[in-house]
Amino acid sequence: MKSIVIEKNILKNNNEIASKIRSALNDKGIYTINMIGSPGSGKTSVLEQIIKHINRKFNIAVIEGDLYTTKDAERIENQGINVVQLNTEGACHLDANMIEQALDCIDINNADLLVIENVGNLVCPASYDLSEDSKILVMSVTEGHDKPLKYPSMFQKAEVLILNKIDLVRYTNFDIGDFYKDVKSLNEHIHIFEISCTSGKGVQKLCDYLEGQIMSKGVNR
Amino acid sequence: MHEVSIVSDMLNIVYENVQLHNMKSINKIVIKVGEFTCINESSLRFAYECLCKNTICENVKLEIKKIKASAYCNNCRKIFNISYTNRVCPICNKFSKNVVTGDELTVDSIEGEQK
Ligand SMILES: Nc1nc2c(ncn2[C@@H]2O[C@H](COP(=O)(O)OP(=O)(O)O)[C@@H](O)[C@H]2O)c(=O)[nH]1
Ligand SMILES: [Mg+2]
Ligand SMILES: [Zn+2]
């Protein structure tokens, strides 16, 4: 009987593909976002708002992850954006391999910003590097302010947290003070933006921040 | 929820090593799973049973070493156990950002007969 020591990270394969894609995206100076959040938190709505605000200044490409449908991709395409749909057929997260395939189907040479809308899920996508510069977590006030402590790994790994549907906060018992306290205890450096996709509140501030990120990445081109 | 992909990546690493080390059979796979990886053990075992049917891994024991999450306190220079919601050092009551263990997801070793 022989024992063979391996000690290999199970996600190594994903991480290797991701770093290959990352260096290609870096060469092209494309700022890349991995957008994560529960189903219905407003990921597609936020993306539509971002597109509306910065489309005139920057070229945007989108990868839409969805379990089975093309509904979100159609919403994005309606705004005249270069979009590719990835159907995971039940898989609960996107992985780097899928992103590599998607990038074969889309022309990103002129893109300044690549947005990947992940599958609606607060748990699994946290483990998979998609070669993004930034994980943006979209959460809505209707989900309740206890979510950061219930799904901590996602809150720990995100650079940006969008608190969406702020227009509805007065109809809920969402405690903004507790929310900030809990989020900061998990991730001191996270940038939080309170927005409403229906009223447009806070969207400009978010887009100003993103434009800054896109421009500083584009400088390396 | 992503246990199936994890097991499939795990098996690929096992198969690679079976080839590399000329194994004719294996009787044990040992993996490390950190407390913070959100992996559910029974889903993992179920996925494992399904995915290794008719392969060299069928009926092979899967040993899961669970790794407790811990962090290091800069003040006290001590490592202490943590949970997602509590990362306060039990000695000085300071919050620690230095997570030391808990994120492990590795194939540790395999055991078997060589050709
Ligand atoms: N009241 C309100 N509803 C919103 C807001 N943002 C999104 N929604 C609604 O929430 C639902 C889910 O949005 P969607 O963007 O599809 O979420 P996704 O599943 O995360 O992509 C839709 O009915 C949106 O119209 C918001 O800021 N306020
Ligand atoms: Mg969507
Ligand atoms: Zn201490």
Side-chain angles (χ1 to χ4, degrees):
Chain A
M1 194 65 54
K2 176 141 182 175
S3 178
I4 290 164
V5 177
I6 301 175
E7 290 185 345
K8 189 170 164 179
N9 185 338
I10 293 176
L11 294 171
K12 190 157 178 262
N13 191 23
N14 184 79
N15 297 346
E16 280 170 3
I17 298 172
S19 61
K20 197 173 87 192
I21 305 172
R22 180 170 280 118
S23 75
L25 293 171
N26 284 347
D27 287 345
K28 294 185 163 72
I30 303 172
Y31 185 67
T32 304
I33 292 171
N34 181 1
M35 215 175 206
I36 299 171
S38 314
S41 58
K43 296 177 293 302
T44 310
S45 306
V46 170
L47 180 51
E48 286 171 316
Q49 291 296 324
I50 295 172
I51 291 169
K52 214 163 86 189
H53 275 70
I54 70 171
N55 197 13
R56 257 171 269 118
K57 289 187 228 164
F58 299 103
N59 277 312
I60 306 169
V62 172
I63 297 175
E64 270 298 336
D66 196 303
L67 293 173
Y68 302 103
T69 77
T70 58
K71 286 186 167 43
D72 286 353
E74 284 160 23
R75 281 165 65 180
I76 302 304
E77 201 161 29
N78 285 340
Q79 290 183 287
I81 297 294
N82 205 356
V83 55
V84 53
Q85 172 74 48
L86 270 177
N87 280 132
T88 61
E89 315 208 317
C92 50
H93 62 273
L94 300 179
D95 63 34
N97 194 24
M98 299 178 194
I99 301 302
E100 192 173 38
Q101 287 171 18
L103 287 175
D104 282 341
C105 311
I106 190 171
D107 179 14
I108 53 158
N109 281 309
N110 294 317
D112 306 296
L113 171 66
L114 172 66
V115 181
I116 303 164
E117 180 178 335
N118 217 310
V119 180
N121 184 332
L122 267 182
V123 182
C124 311
S127 309
Y128 290 84
D129 182 5
L130 302 184
S131 75
E132 68 274 356
D133 291 295
S134 176
K135 284 185 172 62
I136 296 192
L137 177 53
V138 180
M139 180 189 153
S140 54
V141 296
T142 47
E143 291 166 58
H145 61 253
D146 58 345
K147 291 306 168 292
L149 297 184
K150 284 192 170 164
Y151 298 91
S153 79
M154 208 54 254
F155 287 83
Q156 276 171 337
K157 286 176 177 150
E159 279 82 24
V160 174
L161 169 58
I162 296 176
L163 183 60
N164 188 33
K165 308 196 189 179
I166 204 78
D167 56 293
L168 299 180
V169 76
R170 64 201 153 110
Y171 304 109
T172 69
N173 60 356
F174 193 96
D175 187 322
I176 300 245
D178 277 359
F179 175 76
Y180 272 81
K181 199 178 86 225
D182 293 345
V183 172
K184 293 285 178 179
S185 81
L186 294 167
N187 184 343
E188 233 174 83
H189 304 292
I190 198 163
H191 300 271
I192 305 178
F193 295 93
E194 295 174 22
I195 77 166
S196 163
C197 293
T198 47
S199 77
K201 188 178 167 210
V203 174
Q204 187 63 52
K205 214 165 151 197
L206 168 69
C207 290
D208 289 345
Y209 167 83
L210 291 175
E211 286 185 14
Q213 301 294 109
I214 297 167
M215 286 196 284
S216 51
K217 177 98 191 230
V219 171
N220 306 323
R221 216 185 262 248
Chain B
M1 285 186 261
H2 51 299
E3 284 77 2
V4 173
S5 358
I6 296 294
V7 169
S8 136
D9 286 342
M10 171 194 97
L11 288 173
N12 285 335
I13 295 173
V14 171
Y15 299 146
E16 245 169 54
N17 279 278
V18 162
Q19 289 237 312
L20 192 71
H21 298 279
N22 250 319
M23 319 274 295
K24 65 170 193 262
S25 67
I26 45 180
N27 66 348
K28 190 158 97 179
I29 302 172
V30 183
I31 64 171
K32 269 201 194 108
V33 177
E35 198 183 344
F36 280 4
T37 51
C38 322
I39 299 286
N40 177 285
E41 178 173 344
S42 64
S43 317
L44 192 83
R45 290 198 181 278
F46 180 69
Y48 173 67
E49 244 174 65
C50 299
L51 290 178
C52 65
K53 285 243 161 67
N54 303 317
T55 75
I56 189 169
C57 297
E58 187 162 9
N59 297 323
V60 170
K61 181 173 179 218
L62 177 65
E63 186 181 314
I64 302 177
K65 285 193 190 161
K66 291 187 199 153
I67 310 293
K68 283 215 59 83
S70 67
Y72 178 77
C73 174
N74 285 334
N75 261 359
C76 311
R77 298 166 191 267
K78 281 219 162 72
I79 291 179
F80 59 97
N81 283 347
I82 54 173
S83 67
Y84 265 129
T85 48
N86 185 1
R87 282 203 260 151
V88 174
C89 169
I91 303 168
C92 68
N93 280 324
K94 256 194 75 181
F95 182 87
S96 169
K97 287 201 301 187
N98 313 311
V99 177
V100 184
T101 58
D103 287 322
E104 295 77 5
L105 196 53
T106 53
V107 179
D108 228 25
S109 62
I110 57 178
E111 215 179 84
E113 304 280 355
Q114 282 177 309
K115 278 180 196 157

